[in-house]
Amino acid sequence: MSESDTPRRPIRIGNASGFYGDRLSAFRDMVDGSPVDVITGDYLAELTMLILWKARKKDPTTGYAKTFLTQARQSLADCAAKGIKIVVNAGGLNPAGLADEVRTLIADQGLDLTVAHLEGDDIRPRLKSLQAEGHEFRHLDKGSTLAEAGVSPVSANAYLGGWGIAAALRKGADVVICPRVTDAALVVGTSAWWHAWARTDFDALAGAVAAGHIIECGPQATGGNYSQIREVHDRRYPGSPIAEIAHDGSFVITKDPGTGGLVSVGTVTAQLLYEIDGPLYLNPDVAAHFETIEITQEGPDRVRVAGTTGSPPPPDLKVAMNYIGGFRNTMTLVLTGLDIEEKAAWAVDELFEILGGKEKFDDVDVQLLRYDIPDPPTAAQSTAHLRVTVKDADRAKVDRAFSNAVTEIAVAGYAGFHTTTPPSSASEFGVYWPTLIPAREIEHVVFHADGTTELIDHCPRTQTPAPALTPAPHDEAADTVPTARLALGSVVAARSGDKGGKANVGVWTDTPERWDWLRRHLTVDKFIELVPEAVSLPVHRYELPNLRALNFVIVGFLGDGVASSTRTDAQAKGLGEYLRARHTDIPTTLLPETN
């Protein structure tokens, strides 16, 4: 970026979708709201790629997010009239097919709009040849190779960066349909096009990555899924987030005036910490250093984010693979009143006597979920749930043969037997396999509206150093100040989520004094004490002092990812709130005033 160039005004990018199935009207609301230059939509997650594969298996012409077509049908004419560009990753496994469908909509409405799409992420057809060339596709968490696992992925998609989007917009595209690009790439590409950034403008690109990460999940940045509930005074449906990104990569997060929710330092911090590993946030275009970020409240529902630094990206791209792990079935038995544990043990013994033993199945998971309380004032408060899940490669074993066996103990087992559902059928489940591939093996291609194609060169790269784990300092003053045993959430906020089989919990606080205590108090050992289910798992701890935040990553907490996890909270969305509810010793000087 030349110093002689006159910077353009900030680009206004609004994100109208956080996942496949998000609020359908959010796109139309964004078009009708305050002016934006670009509307983005994030439709893809690891699980979504599996869902789209199943859809394409039934109908080869699909494989994309169909809800985007409904949104496009409702909004294309007004986007054309207002000059709003559309950039979405709704293409999924079939970006060319979705691009053709959008062109048909445009023609049917008599509009003058052009559509480009990207390809190059799908490496599944090349897996055997890539393995033959020596690419092992080691699991990022487990270290085992794909060959050792002996599985055949049904989807395998490398995460592309934003420069294909920038090239499509530079050549005049009004709509850009993307496959599996990174969530932040939608913002990185549009910002790079608007500001004519160079490939090595790493600080600016890092800022765009931070902006993209903040707005990618829609209203999670504007008051949704926010632990500090009392700060959200406007409980109407939150407005979609808008990022105003300047030429240097600094930006303001806001929302349309008159919409519900809240944009504050807290809501932005929460989303920055959502589903990250360490402070070094790797993307195909830049390594963004989140520990350098500074956040300030600029005005009502306006938060400025600046200072993000970037460095060259790593030489490899992340690849999300999914394979079919077999079939599963779950039945939940209700236990009421007294002798809950004895009833549960009898039910398990009796059930697997009927089924021929636990060893008959590939995997069995039994969870006793205690919702009951002593002397329950209501019937509901006297109940616990016994959740039994079986998995097997043979569907017949876990289909109605399993759920019907559960009903056989209805009048032959413990008192008060009933289930939460009638006998259920088995369902196919997928297993997530995160891995890497050298960027040089991927051809990132833009299919322009005029029929030409453009190959996108990869960014200049160096080996980015791994983020350092940060042990907590020794808390010498812990025993010298008066404390009260209260919920951690009395002084700490949190946001949690899934990273494949890993779970992350970001926690932060609001004053220097509370931050000094938090970083000393919440060690890995203390975290495991508060979250006992993590006791046998690797737990990584990172500090982000500028945000007064810690991030914990629990490896293996979700097993093999959301599609195969047997946890009731398979995406760890409630883990942060559970941590906040746990009691610990908090200095009384840090407690909020109650009068």
Side-chain angles (χ1 to χ4, degrees):
M1 187 164 49
S2 170
E3 292 183 5
S4 62
D5 293 341
T6 302
R8 297 185 73 178
R9 65 167 175 81
I11 182 174
R12 283 176 54 90
I13 304 171
N15 185 52
S17 176
F19 62 96
Y20 188 17
D22 202 357
R23 195 180 200 195
L24 198 66
S25 63
F27 203 100
R28 180 71 245 180
D29 293 340
M30 183 69 73
V31 174
D32 292 337
S34 55
V36 293
D37 302 298
V38 180
I39 296 178
T40 61
D42 179 17
Y43 297 81
L44 302 183
E46 290 87 355
L47 176 62
T48 314
M49 305 305 283
L50 186 64
I51 293 171
L52 295 178
W53 171 78
K54 291 181 178 181
R56 199 173 191 188
K57 187 179 178 182
K58 294 179 181 178
D59 181 357
T61 65
T62 60
Y64 50 76
K66 289 185 176 182
T67 51
F68 172 70
L69 282 177
T70 300
Q71 293 170 318
R73 185 179 296 109
Q74 297 171 348
S75 305
L76 281 170
D78 284 332
C79 285
K82 296 182 177 182
I84 300 173
K85 304 281 189 180
I86 299 173
V87 181
V88 296
N89 64 9
L93 296 175
N94 188 10
L98 180 57
D100 285 341
E101 291 289 342
V102 175
R103 292 186 187 103
T104 299
L105 287 179
I106 290 169
D108 289 346
Q109 296 184 25
L111 303 174
D112 183 19
L113 294 173
T114 59
V115 181
H117 78 276
L118 311 182
E119 294 184 12
D121 65 308
D122 189 359
I123 66 169
R124 193 182 69 84
R126 301 169 53 205
L127 281 181
K128 289 185 178 180
S129 62
L130 287 167
Q131 286 177 292
E133 293 169 9
H135 299 287
E136 295 182 317
F137 298 113
R138 289 187 178 274
H139 194 287
L140 287 180
D141 300 330
K142 300 179 179 179
S144 54
T145 69
L146 193 61
E148 289 169 345
V151 297
S152 299
V154 296
S155 69
N157 300 84
Y159 286 75
L160 304 180
W163 287 102
I165 296 168
L169 293 170
R170 189 166 55 246
K171 199 158 183 178
D174 300 297
V175 181
V176 183
I177 304 297
C178 303
R180 177 69 276 183
V181 296
T182 68
D183 300 339
L186 304 175
V187 171
V188 172
T190 52
S191 300
W193 156 70
W194 183 270
H195 292 297
W197 288 337
R199 301 294 288 267
T200 55
D201 284 329
F202 292 129
D203 288 351
L205 290 166
V209 164
H213 180 63
I214 290 168
I215 72 172
E216 71 183 51
C217 289
Q220 277 198 171
T222 58
N225 194 14
Y226 183 49
S227 66
Q228 306 306 87
I229 187 172
R230 292 181 180 84
E231 293 179 10
V232 185
H233 302 296
D234 190 336
R235 303 282 175 85
R236 293 175 299 162
Y237 198 91
S240 295
I242 298 170
E244 300 173 354
I245 304 173
H247 71 282
D248 63 353
S250 63
F251 57 92
V252 170
I253 299 296
T254 187
K255 64 183 183 69
D256 198 40
T259 59
L262 169 73
V263 180
S264 69
V265 169
T267 67
V268 171
T269 299
Q271 189 57 27
L272 272 172
L273 295 173
Y274 180 63
E275 293 185 347
I276 66 170
D277 280 312
L280 186 64
Y281 194 77
L282 301 178
N283 263 248
D285 305 314
V286 64
H289 297 258
F290 276 17
E291 76 276 12
T292 63
I293 290 174
E294 297 179 355
I295 308 176
T296 55
Q297 192 80 38
E298 186 179 80
D301 292 323
R302 291 184 63 83
V303 170
R304 176 167 294 281
V305 181
T308 314
T309 63
S311 55
D316 301 315
L317 300 181
K318 185 178 179 180
V319 179
M321 296 184 183
N322 288 285
Y323 66 89
I324 299 304
F327 299 89
R328 65 187 289 173
N329 200 349
T330 299
M331 288 291 290
T332 301
L333 291 67
V334 181
L335 312 163
T336 307
L338 304 177
D339 310 314
I340 293 295
E341 292 184 2
E342 191 171 356
K343 289 174 180 175
W346 185 13
V348 171
D349 290 345
E350 197 169 13
L351 173 61
F352 285 99
E353 177 188 354
I354 295 169
L355 292 168
K358 292 182 180 179
E359 64 277 3
K360 182 179 178 180
F361 303 95
D362 290 343
D363 187 43
V364 173
D365 181 78
V366 179
Q367 298 178 44
L368 178 58
L369 308 175
R370 300 297 298 263
Y371 309 126
D372 55 304
I373 62 174
D375 190 20
T378 66
Q381 290 169 291
S382 70
T383 61
H385 285 179
L386 181 66
R387 192 170 185 264
V388 183
T389 301
V390 290
K391 295 181 180 180
D392 203 90
D394 183 352
R395 180 170 193 152
K397 291 183 182 179
V398 298
D399 203 22
R400 293 298 289 268
F402 164 70
S403 54
N404 286 343
V406 173
T407 64
E408 287 187 33
I409 62 176
V411 295
Y414 65 85
F417 172 95
H418 58 287
T419 60
T420 58
T421 63
S424 57
S425 299
S427 59
E428 196 173 50
F429 72 91
V431 177
Y432 177 57
W433 187 277
T435 187
L436 299 174
I437 189 170
R440 64 177 183 273
E441 295 289 350
I442 301 299
E443 289 193 348
H444 184 173
V445 183
V446 184
F447 289 77
H448 292 293
D450 61 5
T452 62
T453 61
E454 181 179 351
L455 182 64
I456 303 301
D457 292 333
H458 295 294
C459 290
R461 296 172 185 271
T462 62
Q463 184 63 52
T464 305
L469 301 178
T470 48
H474 179 63
D475 193 355
E476 296 179 351
D479 299 325
T480 63
V481 296
T483 62
R485 193 159 186 83
L486 294 169
L488 181 66
S490 302
V491 294
V492 170
R495 170 71 63 81
S496 61
D498 64 303
K499 293 284 288 182
K502 297 182 288 190
N504 101 290
V505 185
V507 295
W508 74 98
T509 193
D510 56 350
T511 69
E513 294 77 17
R514 287 176 177 168
W515 163 239
D516 184 63
W517 169 80
L518 177 63
R519 65 188 289 266
R520 293 177 179 276
H521 181 74
L522 199 53
T523 62
V524 169
D525 288 343
K526 176 60 71 173
F527 180 89
I528 292 173
E529 177 186 322
L530 297 176
V531 185
E533 291 168 280
V535 67
S536 61
L537 300 171
V539 177
H540 301 156
R541 178 187 185 277
Y542 304 94
E543 291 187 7
L544 295 90
N546 282 8
L547 304 182
R548 298 189 181 116
L550 302 173
N551 189 51
F552 292 88
V553 179
I554 315 169
V555 181
F557 193 78
L558 301 175
D560 289 315
V562 56
S564 63
S565 177
T566 55
R567 289 189 175 274
T568 54
D569 181 12
Q571 292 179 290
K573 302 301 185 186
L575 183 57
E577 290 304 282
Y578 167 62
L579 176 63
R580 292 182 67 243
R582 297 286 283 152
H583 282 216
T584 192
D585 295 318
I586 303 173
T588 55
T589 56
L590 301 181
L591 297 176
E593 296 182 4
T594 57
N595 54 359

